[in-house]
């Protein structure tokens, strides 16, 4: 008799391209995932060949035929980085409806931020991109409604305590300074929630524009706001290899 193919529920959901493993853990804890018609707790192990997993009244199954798809989206301001929103706000899912397969964000950009967002149905890639130990440097352009002083620039480039946590140093540089408005380039080496906004708030710097322009060597370029383009196989391999390289440091 064939041995059951056991797998953790959150990994199975991620492998099926529904959401990241961490997002799946949150949905399981919230009681929104069922196995064989019953709500389950985090830590549940399933047999995909025999157990029926459902989310939002739809059965979760692995994609067949199409394989994995990974895209780069230029997320506009005013969209939440989720596939649905209880508050009725616009979601990035609306911008990805013509991809052909269901892909989901592998990372986040807050509601008021815009720029490069990786979306995929490759659970392994999504887990690598969202795991704290695998963080790839990300660069942002940040428009500040004032002239940033040398002291403030020095503070931005030093370790700073945010929410009780000492963040890694950020590489911050002035791109332009005109009419008391400063545009900064800021490269982050870890992904704390709303990190740039909290750093600037601590230094009393008002942000009027925040855009992610690159993830590692992947650049947003001239991709129009609200549109996406498919990543090539070498680009996907680059992301995976970069994540794994960060883990070994």
């Amino acid at each position: 008799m064939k041995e059951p193919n056991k797998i953790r529920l959150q990994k199975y959901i991620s492998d099926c391209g529904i959401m990241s493993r961490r997002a799946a853990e949150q949905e399981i804890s919230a009681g929104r995932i069922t196995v064989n018609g019953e709500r389950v707790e985090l830590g549940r192990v399933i047999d995909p060949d025999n157990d029926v997993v459902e989310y939002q009244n739809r059965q979760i199954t692995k994609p067949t035929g199409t394989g994995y798809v990974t895209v780069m989206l230029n997320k506009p301001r005013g969209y939440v980085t989720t596939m649905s929103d209880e508050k009725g706000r616009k979601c990035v899912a609306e911008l990805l409806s013509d991809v052909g397969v269901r892909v989901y964000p592998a990372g986040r950009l807050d509601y008021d931020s815009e720029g490069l967002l990786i979306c995929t149905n490759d659970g392994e890639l999504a887990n690598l991109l969202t795991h704290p130990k695998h963080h790839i440097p990300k660069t942002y352009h940040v428009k500040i409604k004032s002239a940033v002083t040398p002291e403030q620039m020095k503070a931005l480039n030093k370790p700073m305590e945010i929410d009780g946590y000492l963040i890694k140093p950020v590489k911050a540089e002035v791109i332009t300074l005109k009419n008391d408005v400063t545009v900064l380039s800021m490269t982050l080496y870890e992904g704390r929630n709303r990190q740039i906004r909290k750093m600037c708030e601590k230094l009393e710097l008002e942000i009027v524009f925040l855009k992610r322009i690159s993830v590692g060597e992947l650049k947003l370029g001239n991709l129009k706001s609200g549109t996406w383009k498919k990543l090539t196989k070498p680009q996907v391999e680059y992301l995976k290899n970069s994540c794994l390289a960060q883990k070994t440091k």
Side-chain angles (χ1 to χ4, degrees), residues 156-158 167-172 186-189 195 199:
L156 287 173
N157 280 279
K158 286 185 175 180
I167 62 171
K168 294 180 181 179
V170 169
K171 182 180 179 182
M186 296 182 68
T187 300
L188 273 56
Y189 299 92
Q195 180 176 328
M199 290 175 67

Side-chain angles (χ1 to χ4, degrees), residues 23 40 73 77 81 94 116 128 139 141 160 180 194 225 247:
V40 294
L73 171 70
R77 193 173 184 173
T81 311
E94 300 171 30
L116 198 164
L128 287 171
T139 300
H141 283 175
M160 184 185 295
D180 288 336
R194 296 177 64 86
S225 180
K247 183 180 179 181

Side-chain angles (χ1 to χ4, degrees), residues 25 35 46 65 68 92 97 101 105 123-124 131 136 170-172 177 180-181 183 201 204 206 214 220 227 232:
E25 290 172 353
V35 178
I46 66 161
Y68 293 131
V92 295
S97 60
V101 295
E124 177 191 2
H131 198 288
I136 303 175
V170 169
K171 182 180 179 182
L177 172 55
D180 288 336
V181 174
V183 178
E201 182 180 351
E204 298 183 344
E206 183 181 348
S214 67
L220 189 63
T227 65
T232 64

Side-chain angles (χ1 to χ4, degrees), residues 153-166:
M153 286 300 300
K154 188 178 294 185
L156 287 173
N157 280 279
K158 286 185 175 180
M160 184 185 295
E161 186 173 309
I162 300 291
D163 297 334
Y165 174 85
L166 190 64

